[in-house]
Amino acid sequence: MTGFASLPPVAAAAPARDELEVLQEIHGILAGDRFAVLTGAGLSTDSGIPDYRGPGAAPRAPMTYQEFIGDAENRQRYWARNHIGWSHLRRADPNGGHTAVARLEKRGLLTGLITQNVDRLHEDAGSVNVVDLHGRFDRVVCLDCHRRYSRSLLAGVLEELNPGFLDRAMAAGVVEMAPDADATVEDSGLIESFVVARCPACAGTLKPDFVYFGENVPKDRVERSYAMVDEAGALVVAGSSLTVMSGLRFVRHAAKQGKPVVIINRGQTRGDSLASIKLDAGVSEALTWLAEELPPL
């Protein structure tokens, strides 16, 4: 089994000379005013969690909301894979990038943090004013009675319903892990043997409490995120390809207001044409440098 999130976080290295030149320009843009931060899966790679679209990421087609609710076999396959992925993702620790964002907030330099990640590592690092745009991997919601449960509680239930399943999965081998605690397993018989848990209160359908592809981000999260951008003098995007509109809209919003947009990401993003400046570099290294070098307000 590929055990992502089972290793300690990668320590942030010092930026290279050419990266430092760009960071100095970013420093000049951000110094003297508060800014908002939008983070994506590229920030959590140093915590051992693979991203969706970064360099070297394996192509994948995540299950959509319509596929999940429309077919019991799809739900069985999803929960079997999620049970494996959860057992690893829950062990992940914040890396230097998460710590740097928390430091920026504690120093009063942020209007807020918007994250597309569901791994809760920002909160673990100490960030407080956070919009979990796509939800949280540590909670489960019933689609029928709308009660919410902790994913830890569900893990215990699933282990009771499927004794020895994780050991068999390890023996079968996991092909791929994903940032939403999904895991790809080629053993179809193993998946077909999995028993799906029902809601303890109403026996309804349980779903991870995060936004699937094809599902809308709740309106209150979107409005709160826009408010963070409205209050900011600039927007910093860190570790997001901005492929999906849920994140790109805030870049467009900031650019429309004439606010600087700083993008720090390895590889191209969908928002590059709107960026005031782009740094193609490691996210943790860049954020750590900014947390150390930006002056107090």
Side-chain angles (χ1 to χ4, degrees):
M1 178 179 290
T2 57
F4 82 86
S6 61
L7 299 175
V10 177
R17 180 177 298 179
D18 59 335
E19 295 170 352
L20 277 174
E21 293 177 358
V22 182
L23 280 169
Q24 291 287 359
E25 294 183 49
I26 294 173
H27 182 283
I29 292 173
L30 300 179
D33 201 354
R34 295 194 302 160
F35 54 94
V37 175
L38 168 65
T39 66
L43 180 58
S44 291
T45 55
D46 283 347
S47 292
I49 302 174
D51 62 6
Y52 284 112
R53 301 177 182 89
R60 63 188 303 270
M63 187 176 294
T64 67
Y65 178 72
Q66 290 74 22
E67 290 171 336
F68 181 86
I69 64 172
D71 188 273
E73 289 186 2
N74 284 342
R75 290 193 293 276
Q76 180 188 44
R77 184 170 75 255
Y78 183 85
W79 276 116
R81 292 160 48 142
N82 180 273
H83 188 46
I84 298 167
W86 159 261
S87 71
H88 289 265
L89 186 60
R90 65 185 175 84
R91 302 192 187 108
D93 293 317
N95 61 56
H98 298 106
T99 302
V101 174
R103 288 174 60 196
L104 289 166
E105 181 184 19
K106 289 176 182 177
R107 294 179 58 206
L109 299 181
L110 303 187
T111 59
L113 167 63
I114 309 160
T115 184
Q116 296 173 289
N117 300 334
V118 299
D119 53 37
R120 301 285 291 171
L121 292 180
H122 279 298
E123 287 84 351
D124 289 347
S127 292
V128 177
N129 188 19
V130 185
V131 174
D132 293 300
L133 195 64
H134 293 163
R136 299 168 46 163
F137 88 118
D138 62 343
R139 292 194 312 200
V140 177
V141 62
C142 175
L143 296 178
D144 296 279
C145 71
H146 308 295
R147 287 181 172 87
R148 282 178 167 80
Y149 304 95
S150 76
R151 184 62 182 80
S152 296
L153 174 66
L154 181 64
V157 174
L158 290 174
E159 287 169 7
E160 289 183 5
L161 292 174
N162 300 276
F165 178 83
L166 292 177
D167 291 335
R168 296 196 302 276
M170 183 175 294
V174 174
V175 177
E176 176 197 352
M177 293 287 189
D180 57 359
D182 192 11
T184 301
V185 183
E186 291 185 335
D187 189 332
S188 59
L190 180 68
I191 298 298
E192 291 169 0
S193 72
F194 192 80
V195 179
V196 178
R198 309 290 296 185
C199 173
C202 73
T205 298
L206 295 175
K207 169 187 166 295
D209 195 14
F210 49 69
V211 178
Y212 276 53
F213 287 87
E215 191 177 8
N216 292 324
V217 176
K219 185 178 179 180
D220 62 321
R221 296 180 202 166
V222 176
E223 291 177 346
R224 188 177 163 204
S225 298
Y226 274 129
M228 290 177 174
V229 178
D230 288 340
E231 295 171 9
L235 173 64
V236 174
V237 179
S240 175
S241 65
L242 300 171
T243 300
V244 294
M245 184 56 67
S246 64
L248 181 62
R249 65 179 127 192
F250 304 117
V251 172
R252 290 180 171 176
H253 186 69
K256 186 176 181 180
Q257 293 181 334
K259 296 178 178 180
V261 174
V262 175
I263 296 181
I264 305 170
N265 189 67
R266 288 205 182 277
Q268 293 184 336
T269 82
R270 195 176 169 194
D272 284 356
S273 62
L274 299 172
S276 307
I277 189 168
K278 165 75 181 294
L279 174 60
D280 194 320
V283 180
S284 295
E285 293 91 334
L287 291 174
T288 298
W289 187 90
L290 288 171
E292 292 174 352
E293 298 296 331
L294 282 172
L297 297 179

